[in-house]
Amino acid sequence: MQDKPTITLHPAASPARLAPNGKHFFIWTIGCQMNEADSAKIAAMLQEVGYQPTDREDDADIVVLNSCVVRQAAEDKVAGKLNSLMRLKRAKPEVPVVLTGCMVTNQQAALQQRFPHVDLFFNPSDFGQLERVVPELADLDDDLADLPHYYLPDSPDSAGITAFVPIIYGCNFLCSYCIVPYRRGKERSRPLAEIVAEVGHLVGRGVREVTLLGQTVNAYGHDLAEKPGLADLLGAIDAIPGLERLRFLTSHPNYMSNDIIDAMAELESVCEHMNLPVQAGDDDVLRRMRRKYSRDYWRDRIAYTRARMPGATIATDIIVGFPGETEAQFQQTYDLLDEVRCDKVHLAMYSPRPGTLSARWEDDIPHHEKQRRHQALETLQEHHCTDRNAKRLHDTVEVLVEGMAKGRWTGRTRGNTLVHFADERRVLGKLVAVTITETSPWFLIGKPAGPVR
Ligand code: SAH
Ligand code: SF4
């Protein structure tokens, strides 16, 4: 799963179901899409009871921080943000400050000591806890536990265009560098019917693209009585009328079976875009990472995907500077990426996480060397993306428009490439055919080429 360094403020303004009560909430989110989904649900719950969003914490009647600890840099940002809130808390002691996300799990006592100005700590997705600082939530008609995970206010112009839907929580792998299983627990799949109903609910409110989420999204279903697989779930969701695009992330190579790839190829709504982290291109490093597959196995999964879907785009995650990674082993990663030519590579420098297996090993690659390896892969990727995008010049692609930036509409192709274009029409949330007139490594620019739908 991509743990983006981006920080998001939630959500775009949208009217609440209950009349506004004059109160405002401020939500700050860092980390993976699971956190994005949790924050969206918290925002929706608060709007249900009359709160409105604000992007100024000084105007808020409640402040929620959603944290990530996958790398030290993320943890430091959360600590910095928490410390900066002390001033607000001194000036307005009645405003509750809430911390959720991976920083919280099993750490509440220590966090309470370190950040005494925080009023409530709650584990990821344990939304019922919010009632302790927002008593109005007890008045929600529905039992909180029964609310769809991603819950949108029932208002015609508030629906999002895209939505994240968690389908499996936790992770049963124990990759030696990763803190996620310690903070998110064992894999728990949501019932298939519940997910299908939730996606139906979202589509009914205007959502056109859904991304199914899990740390190991393609392990979906193995813990359920009827053992549905991700392919079954994709089929059931694809049958929902009105859903244009369906994606899923993040997949583990070991669970990326032919039947899932076949379903991607055959189901109309499922986008031809695969997120399959390899982490390293050297078998010895993969073994020490406890990844449980080889370089060739990952390469074979990509080859099968491309054989079934010639235009498929591929994203992957890489960690550079893992303990003991030699220059030759790093070169293996470089060569693998040079051969496979992914469309997107999420690069991370290794960061030891207390409590994980690899944190017991010496973090022996100096920071400047990690940076050099990171830069080398970034440069390689830039070359690949420059070449790939240049070939799209004059192509006409279908773009789902998600917003506007600097006077141009912005959206993505089915393959997840960013496209910007100018159009006099109001095309937010529409699918638009766009002819590409300019390319760059990271996005395409174009002009509308036909009617919208
Ligand atoms: N479940 C996903 C990844 C979840 S964590 C998978 O199996 O790939 C998101 C990304 O953060 C990982 O893919 C990895 O590249 C990075 N990451 C996780 N732990 C890290 C660490 N200790 N140091 C650096 N990067 C790390
Ligand atoms: Fe972490 Fe590995 Fe689980 Fe991904 S599969 S969340 S990297 S332990």
Side-chain angles (χ1 to χ4, degrees), residues 213-269:
L213 296 182
Q215 294 296 344
T216 52
V217 73
N218 53 343
Y220 174 76
H222 69 87
D223 54 326
L224 297 175
E226 276 135 31
K227 305 224 177 303
L230 181 61
D232 301 313
L233 181 63
L234 293 175
I237 297 176
D238 180 71
I240 297 173
L243 180 66
E244 295 289 344
R245 290 181 177 184
L246 182 56
R247 305 179 189 276
F248 54 95
L249 55 95
T250 297
S251 295
H252 191 285
N254 289 15
Y255 281 102
M256 192 41 86
S257 53
N258 286 0
D259 70 320
I260 296 177
I261 299 170
D262 294 342
M264 287 177 79
E266 286 154 21
L267 298 170
E268 210 177 313
S269 66

Coordinates of all heavy atoms in Angstrom, one line a residue, residues 213-269:
L213 N -9.5 -1.5 -0.7 CA -8.3 -1.4 0.0 C -8.0 -2.6 1.0 O -8.9 -3.2 1.5 CB -8.3 -0.2 0.9 CG -8.4 1.2 0.3 CD1 -8.4 2.3 1.4 CD2 -7.3 1.4 -0.7
G214 N -6.7 -2.9 1.1 CA -6.2 -3.8 2.1 C -4.7 -3.8 2.1 O -4.1 -3.4 1.0
Q215 N -4.1 -4.1 3.2 CA -2.6 -4.2 3.1 C -2.2 -5.4 2.2 O -1.2 -5.4 1.6 CB -2.1 -4.5 4.6 CG -2.3 -3.3 5.5 CD -1.5 -2.1 5.1 OE1 -0.6 -2.1 4.2 NE2 -1.9 -1.0 5.6
T216 N -3.1 -6.4 2.2 CA -2.9 -7.6 1.3 C -4.3 -7.8 0.7 O -5.0 -8.8 1.0 CB -2.5 -8.8 2.1 OG1 -3.4 -9.0 3.2 CG2 -1.0 -8.7 2.6
V217 N -4.7 -6.9 -0.2 CA -6.0 -6.8 -0.7 C -6.4 -8.1 -1.4 O -7.6 -8.6 -1.4 CB -6.3 -5.6 -1.5 CG1 -5.6 -5.7 -2.9 CG2 -7.7 -5.3 -1.7
N218 N -5.4 -8.7 -2.1 CA -5.7 -9.9 -2.9 C -5.8 -11.2 -2.0 O -6.0 -12.3 -2.5 CB -4.8 -10.1 -4.0 CG -3.3 -10.0 -3.6 OD1 -3.0 -9.6 -2.6 ND2 -2.4 -10.5 -4.5
A219 N -5.5 -11.1 -0.7 CA -5.8 -12.2 0.2 C -7.2 -12.2 0.7 O -7.6 -13.1 1.5 CB -4.8 -12.1 1.4
Y220 N -8.0 -11.3 0.1 CA -9.4 -11.2 0.6 C -10.1 -12.5 0.6 O -10.1 -13.3 -0.3 CB -10.2 -10.2 -0.4 CG -11.7 -10.2 0.0 CD1 -12.1 -9.5 1.1 CD2 -12.6 -11.0 -0.7 CE1 -13.4 -9.5 1.5 CE2 -13.9 -11.0 -0.3 CZ -14.3 -10.3 0.8 OH -15.6 -10.3 1.2
G221 N -10.8 -12.7 1.7 CA -11.8 -13.8 1.8 C -11.3 -15.1 2.4 O -12.2 -15.9 2.8
H222 N -10.0 -15.4 2.6 CA -9.6 -16.7 3.0 C -10.0 -17.0 4.4 O -10.1 -18.1 4.9 CB -8.1 -16.8 2.9 CG -7.3 -16.0 3.9 ND1 -7.0 -16.4 5.1 CD2 -6.8 -14.7 3.8 CE1 -6.4 -15.4 5.8 NE2 -6.2 -14.4 5.0
D223 N -10.4 -15.9 5.2 CA -10.8 -16.1 6.6 C -12.3 -16.1 6.8 O -12.8 -16.2 7.9 CB -10.2 -15.0 7.5 CG -10.5 -13.6 6.9 OD1 -10.6 -13.4 5.7 OD2 -10.7 -12.7 7.7
L224 N -13.0 -16.1 5.7 CA -14.5 -16.1 5.7 C -15.0 -17.5 5.5 O -14.3 -18.3 4.8 CB -15.1 -15.2 4.7 CG -14.8 -13.7 4.8 CD1 -15.4 -12.9 3.6 CD2 -15.3 -13.1 6.1
A225 N -16.2 -17.8 6.1 CA -16.7 -19.2 6.0 C -16.8 -19.7 4.6 O -16.3 -20.8 4.3 CB -18.0 -19.3 6.7
E226 N -17.3 -18.9 3.7 CA -17.5 -19.4 2.3 C -16.3 -19.2 1.4 O -16.3 -19.6 0.3 CB -18.7 -18.7 1.7 CG -20.0 -19.3 2.0 CD -21.1 -18.3 2.4 OE1 -21.0 -17.2 1.9 OE2 -21.9 -18.7 3.3
K227 N -15.2 -18.6 2.0 CA -14.0 -18.4 1.3 C -14.1 -17.8 -0.1 O -13.6 -18.4 -1.1 CB -13.2 -19.8 1.2 CG -13.0 -20.5 2.5 CD -11.6 -21.0 2.7 CE -11.3 -21.6 4.0 NZ -11.5 -20.7 5.2
P228 N -14.8 -16.7 -0.2 CA -14.8 -16.0 -1.5 C -13.4 -15.5 -1.8 O -12.7 -15.2 -0.8 CB -15.8 -14.9 -1.3 CG -15.7 -14.6 0.1 CD -15.4 -15.9 0.8
G229 N -13.0 -15.3 -3.0 CA -11.7 -14.7 -3.3 C -11.9 -13.3 -3.9 O -13.1 -12.9 -4.1
L230 N -10.8 -12.6 -4.1 CA -10.9 -11.3 -4.6 C -11.6 -11.3 -6.0 O -12.4 -10.4 -6.4 CB -9.6 -10.6 -4.7 CG -9.6 -9.2 -5.3 CD1 -10.4 -8.2 -4.4 CD2 -8.2 -8.6 -5.4
A231 N -11.3 -12.4 -6.8 CA -12.0 -12.5 -8.1 C -13.5 -12.5 -8.0 O -14.2 -11.9 -8.8 CB -11.5 -13.7 -8.9
D232 N -14.0 -13.2 -7.0 CA -15.5 -13.3 -6.8 C -16.0 -11.9 -6.4 O -17.0 -11.5 -6.9 CB -15.8 -14.3 -5.6 CG -15.3 -15.7 -5.9 OD1 -15.5 -16.1 -7.0 OD2 -14.6 -16.2 -5.0
L233 N -15.3 -11.3 -5.5 CA -15.7 -9.9 -5.1 C -15.7 -9.0 -6.3 O -16.7 -8.2 -6.5 CB -14.8 -9.4 -4.0 CG -15.2 -8.1 -3.4 CD1 -16.6 -8.1 -2.8 CD2 -14.2 -7.6 -2.4
L234 N -14.7 -9.0 -7.1 CA -14.6 -8.1 -8.3 C -15.8 -8.4 -9.2 O -16.4 -7.4 -9.7 CB -13.3 -8.3 -9.0 CG -12.0 -7.9 -8.3 CD1 -10.8 -8.3 -9.2 CD2 -12.0 -6.4 -8.0
G235 N -16.1 -9.6 -9.4 CA -17.3 -10.0 -10.2 C -18.6 -9.4 -9.7 O -19.4 -8.9 -10.4
A236 N -18.8 -9.6 -8.4 CA -20.0 -9.1 -7.7 C -20.1 -7.6 -7.8 O -21.2 -7.1 -8.0 CB -20.1 -9.6 -6.3
I237 N -19.0 -6.9 -7.6 CA -19.1 -5.4 -7.7 C -19.2 -4.9 -9.1 O -19.9 -4.0 -9.4 CB -17.8 -4.8 -7.0 CG1 -17.8 -5.2 -5.5 CG2 -17.8 -3.3 -7.2 CD1 -16.6 -4.7 -4.8
D238 N -18.6 -5.6 -10.0 CA -18.7 -5.2 -11.4 C -20.1 -5.3 -11.9 O -20.5 -4.5 -12.8 CB -17.8 -6.2 -12.3 CG -17.9 -5.9 -13.8 OD1 -17.3 -4.8 -14.1 OD2 -18.5 -6.6 -14.5
A239 N -20.9 -6.1 -11.3 CA -22.3 -6.2 -11.7 C -23.2 -5.0 -11.2 O -24.4 -4.9 -11.6 CB -22.9 -7.5 -11.2
I240 N -22.6 -4.2 -10.4 CA -23.4 -3.0 -9.9 C -23.6 -2.0 -11.0 O -22.6 -1.5 -11.5 CB -22.8 -2.4 -8.7 CG1 -22.7 -3.4 -7.5 CG2 -23.5 -1.1 -8.3 CD1 -21.9 -2.9 -6.3
P241 N -24.8 -1.7 -11.5 CA -25.0 -0.8 -12.6 C -24.5 0.6 -12.2 O -24.7 1.0 -11.0 CB -26.5 -0.8 -12.9 CG -27.1 -1.8 -12.0 CD -26.1 -2.2 -10.9
G242 N -23.8 1.3 -13.1 CA -23.4 2.7 -12.8 C -22.0 2.8 -12.3 O -21.4 3.9 -12.3
L243 N -21.4 1.7 -11.9 CA -20.0 1.9 -11.4 C -19.1 1.8 -12.7 O -19.1 0.8 -13.4 CB -19.6 0.7 -10.5 CG -18.1 0.8 -10.0 CD1 -17.9 2.1 -9.1 CD2 -17.7 -0.4 -9.2
E244 N -18.3 2.9 -12.9 CA -17.5 2.9 -14.1 C -16.1 2.3 -13.9 O -15.6 1.6 -14.8 CB -17.3 4.4 -14.5 CG -18.5 5.2 -14.9 CD -19.1 4.7 -16.2 OE1 -18.3 4.0 -17.0 OE2 -20.2 5.0 -16.5
R245 N -15.5 2.5 -12.7 CA -14.1 2.0 -12.6 C -14.0 1.4 -11.2 O -14.4 1.9 -10.2 CB -13.2 3.2 -12.7 CG -13.1 3.8 -14.1 CD -12.0 4.9 -14.0 NE -11.9 5.4 -15.4 CZ -11.0 6.4 -15.7 NH1 -10.2 6.9 -14.7 NH2 -10.8 6.8 -16.9
L246 N -13.2 0.3 -11.2 CA -13.0 -0.4 -10.0 C -11.5 -0.7 -9.9 O -10.9 -1.2 -10.9 CB -13.8 -1.8 -10.0 CG -13.7 -2.7 -8.8 CD1 -14.1 -1.9 -7.5 CD2 -14.6 -3.9 -9.0
R247 N -10.8 -0.4 -8.8 CA -9.4 -0.7 -8.6 C -9.2 -1.4 -7.3 O -10.1 -1.4 -6.4 CB -8.6 0.6 -8.5 CG -8.8 1.6 -9.7 CD -8.0 2.8 -9.5 NE -8.3 3.8 -10.5 CZ -7.7 3.9 -11.7 NH1 -6.8 3.0 -12.1 NH2 -8.0 4.8 -12.6
F248 N -8.0 -1.9 -7.0 CA -7.7 -2.5 -5.7 C -6.3 -2.3 -5.4 O -5.4 -2.4 -6.3 CB -8.2 -3.9 -5.7 CG -7.6 -4.8 -6.7 CD1 -6.4 -5.5 -6.5 CD2 -8.2 -4.9 -8.0 CE1 -5.9 -6.3 -7.5 CE2 -7.7 -5.7 -9.0 CZ -6.5 -6.4 -8.8
L249 N -5.9 -2.1 -4.1 CA -4.6 -2.1 -3.7 C -4.5 -2.3 -2.2 O -5.5 -2.0 -1.5 CB -3.9 -0.7 -4.1 CG -4.5 0.6 -3.7 CD1 -3.8 1.1 -2.4 CD2 -4.3 1.6 -4.8
T250 N -3.4 -2.8 -1.7 CA -2.2 -3.2 -2.4 C -2.1 -4.8 -2.4 O -2.5 -5.4 -1.4 CB -1.0 -2.7 -1.6 OG1 -1.0 -1.3 -1.6 CG2 0.3 -3.2 -2.2
S251 N -1.6 -5.3 -3.5 CA -1.6 -6.8 -3.6 C -0.3 -7.3 -3.1 O 0.8 -6.6 -3.2 CB -1.8 -7.1 -5.1 OG -3.1 -6.7 -5.5
H252 N -0.3 -8.5 -2.6 CA 1.0 -9.2 -2.3 C 1.2 -10.2 -3.4 O 0.3 -10.9 -3.9 CB 0.8 -9.9 -1.0 CG 2.2 -10.4 -0.5 ND1 2.8 -11.5 -1.0 CD2 3.0 -10.0 0.5 CE1 3.9 -11.7 -0.4 NE2 4.1 -10.8 0.5
P253 N 2.5 -10.3 -3.9 CA 2.8 -11.2 -5.1 C 2.3 -12.6 -4.8 O 1.8 -13.3 -5.7 CB 4.3 -11.1 -5.2 CG 4.6 -9.7 -4.7 CD 3.7 -9.4 -3.6
N254 N 2.4 -13.1 -3.6 CA 2.1 -14.5 -3.3 C 0.6 -14.8 -3.6 O 0.2 -15.9 -3.8 CB 2.4 -14.9 -1.9 CG 3.9 -15.0 -1.7 OD1 4.7 -14.5 -2.5 ND2 4.4 -15.7 -0.6
Y255 N -0.2 -13.8 -3.4 CA -1.7 -14.0 -3.6 C -2.1 -13.6 -5.0 O -3.3 -13.6 -5.3 CB -2.5 -13.2 -2.5 CG -2.5 -13.9 -1.2 CD1 -1.7 -13.5 -0.1 CD2 -3.4 -15.0 -0.9 CE1 -1.8 -14.1 1.1 CE2 -3.4 -15.6 0.3 CZ -2.6 -15.1 1.3 OH -2.7 -15.7 2.6
M256 N -1.2 -13.2 -5.8 CA -1.7 -12.6 -7.1 C -1.8 -13.8 -8.1 O -1.0 -14.1 -9.0 CB -0.6 -11.6 -7.7 CG -1.2 -10.8 -8.8 SD -2.9 -10.3 -8.7 CE -2.7 -8.8 -7.8
S257 N -3.0 -14.5 -7.9 CA -3.2 -15.7 -8.7 C -3.7 -15.4 -10.1 O -4.2 -14.3 -10.4 CB -4.3 -16.6 -8.0 OG -5.4 -15.7 -7.7
N258 N -3.7 -16.4 -11.0 CA -4.2 -16.1 -12.4 C -5.6 -15.7 -12.4 O -6.1 -14.9 -13.2 CB -4.0 -17.4 -13.2 CG -2.5 -17.7 -13.6 OD1 -1.7 -16.9 -13.2 ND2 -2.3 -18.7 -14.3
D259 N -6.4 -16.3 -11.5 CA -7.9 -16.0 -11.5 C -8.1 -14.5 -11.2 O -9.1 -14.0 -11.8 CB -8.7 -17.0 -10.7 CG -8.5 -16.7 -9.2 OD1 -7.4 -16.5 -8.8 OD2 -9.5 -16.8 -8.4
I260 N -7.3 -13.9 -10.4 CA -7.5 -12.5 -10.1 C -7.1 -11.7 -11.4 O -7.9 -10.8 -11.8 CB -6.7 -12.0 -8.9 CG1 -7.2 -12.7 -7.6 CG2 -6.8 -10.5 -8.7 CD1 -6.4 -12.4 -6.4
I261 N -6.0 -12.1 -12.0 CA -5.6 -11.3 -13.2 C -6.6 -11.6 -14.3 O -6.9 -10.6 -15.1 CB -4.1 -11.8 -13.6 CG1 -3.2 -11.5 -12.4 CG2 -3.7 -11.1 -14.9 CD1 -1.8 -12.1 -12.5
D262 N -7.1 -12.8 -14.4 CA -8.1 -13.0 -15.5 C -9.4 -12.2 -15.2 O -9.9 -11.6 -16.2 CB -8.5 -14.5 -15.5 CG -7.3 -15.4 -15.9 OD1 -6.4 -14.9 -16.5 OD2 -7.4 -16.6 -15.6
A263 N -9.8 -12.1 -13.9 CA -10.9 -11.2 -13.6 C -10.7 -9.8 -14.0 O -11.5 -9.1 -14.6 CB -11.3 -11.3 -12.1
M264 N -9.5 -9.3 -13.8 CA -9.1 -7.9 -14.2 C -9.3 -7.8 -15.7 O -9.8 -6.8 -16.2 CB -7.7 -7.6 -13.8 CG -7.4 -7.4 -12.4 SD -5.6 -7.1 -12.2 CE -5.4 -5.4 -12.7
A265 N -8.8 -8.8 -16.4 CA -8.9 -8.7 -17.9 C -10.3 -8.8 -18.4 O -10.6 -8.1 -19.4 CB -8.0 -9.8 -18.5
E266 N -11.1 -9.5 -17.7 CA -12.5 -9.8 -18.3 C -13.6 -8.9 -17.8 O -14.5 -8.6 -18.5 CB -12.9 -11.3 -17.9 CG -12.1 -12.3 -18.8 CD -11.9 -13.6 -18.2 OE1 -12.7 -14.0 -17.3 OE2 -11.0 -14.4 -18.6
L267 N -13.4 -8.3 -16.6 CA -14.5 -7.5 -16.1 C -14.4 -6.0 -16.6 O -13.3 -5.5 -16.4 CB -14.5 -7.5 -14.5 CG -14.8 -8.9 -14.0 CD1 -14.5 -9.0 -12.5 CD2 -16.2 -9.4 -14.3
E268 N -15.5 -5.5 -17.1 CA -15.4 -4.2 -17.7 C -14.9 -3.1 -16.8 O -14.1 -2.2 -17.2 CB -16.8 -3.9 -18.3 CG -16.7 -3.1 -19.6 CD -18.1 -2.9 -20.1 OE1 -18.8 -3.9 -20.2 OE2 -18.4 -1.7 -20.4
S269 N -15.5 -3.1 -15.6 CA -15.2 -1.9 -14.7 C -13.8 -2.0 -14.1 O -13.2 -1.0 -13.7 CB -16.2 -1.8 -13.6 OG -16.1 -2.9 -12.8

